[in-house]
Amino acid sequence: MKTPSNKLEKAARRVWKSAQMFVGFHTDQKGKPRTQPKLWPPKNGSASIHGDPSAQEAIVVVKAADPDEVQDVQIKLHPNRIVVRRDADAWWQGVAVDEHTVTVRMADNTIIEIRHDGSVKRRSAEDETHVEADGSIFKFTEFAEAHMTGDGVEMTRRTEDRIATITADGVVDRARRR
């Protein structure tokens, strides 16, 4: 009998074929920066995490089982965060995990931040959306700002020349004073 976890394991095996650890040296022995890091595979598969990732970093390269379908992924281990990245034309390009936040960079340069308190921010070239820990939502665009309380009782929309608010007591829609 196939359980959901067995199906997931089979799918994972089809996506990735190998993983190898490297130490990336971004500077030469004299401290001069390199244009491309020198990658060295440690013999025992173990590497310390250097305090300055611009000088040296530990990297795990995960190879795709089918390079035509999926791209290789790099996992970079820094002293204050873990970065997962790939060169993708669609979907996600990078994920950074630190003590307080998970940040995702999408291929269209949209940034999504998930914070330790459960709040989420999404920033793109066109707009910015915040979902706060209490459930309230803020939306900012070139043309308007909108807000809804976490309980959904109040909503406000502001444009350059108008403000509209819906509350438990009624609706207000008027020209903004300048």
Side-chain angles (χ1 to χ4, degrees):
M1 179 172 140
K2 296 206 181 220
T3 63
S5 64
N6 287 345
K7 288 180 184 178
L8 180 62
E9 286 175 17
K10 276 192 154 190
R13 283 188 209 115
R14 285 191 304 265
V15 176
W16 310 113
K17 75 174 180 181
S18 67
Q20 184 171 6
M21 176 173 268
F22 293 96
V23 175
F25 296 96
H26 296 279
T27 59
D28 63 19
Q29 292 177 340
K30 294 179 182 175
K32 183 179 172 189
R34 291 185 163 115
T35 55
Q36 292 289 327
K38 179 180 179 180
L39 297 179
W40 171 73
K43 300 275 187 253
N44 62 359
S46 178
S48 62
I49 297 175
H50 196 277
D52 182 4
S54 65
Q56 174 186 329
E57 61 187 340
I59 303 167
V60 177
V61 176
V62 182
K63 293 285 187 181
D66 183 355
D68 294 333
E69 293 293 321
V70 180
Q71 296 178 326
D72 297 346
V73 171
Q74 296 175 2
I75 303 167
K76 298 182 175 196
L77 306 170
H78 295 181
N80 61 342
R81 64 186 179 153
I82 296 171
V83 178
V84 180
R85 65 169 303 278
R86 66 182 182 162
D87 296 326
D89 297 332
W91 314 116
W92 65 272
Q93 290 182 328
V95 178
V97 180
D98 65 30
E99 185 178 6
H100 301 290
T101 309
V102 176
T103 305
V104 180
R105 176 180 294 277
M106 305 302 289
D108 66 354
N109 286 327
T110 297
I111 304 290
I112 301 165
E113 287 181 7
I114 304 163
R115 296 181 176 204
H116 69 283
D117 63 358
S119 61
V120 178
K121 285 187 181 182
R122 180 190 176 278
R123 293 186 307 268
S124 71
E126 295 82 33
D127 58 34
E128 187 168 324
T129 304
H130 301 216
V131 179
E132 299 298 327
D134 68 356
S136 59
I137 301 170
F138 295 87
K139 179 81 170 183
F140 305 96
T141 71
E142 178 183 351
F143 307 105
E145 296 176 8
H147 171 256
M148 182 173 72
T149 58
D151 58 9
V153 173
E154 295 184 17
M155 292 185 280
T156 303
R157 179 177 161 264
R158 297 172 197 247
T159 63
E160 186 177 310
D161 56 351
R162 301 214 53 86
I163 184 168
T165 302
I166 300 171
T167 68
D169 297 326
V171 176
V172 175
D173 184 8
R174 63 176 172 79
R176 286 181 74 173
R177 291 184 213 158
R178 298 254 166 211

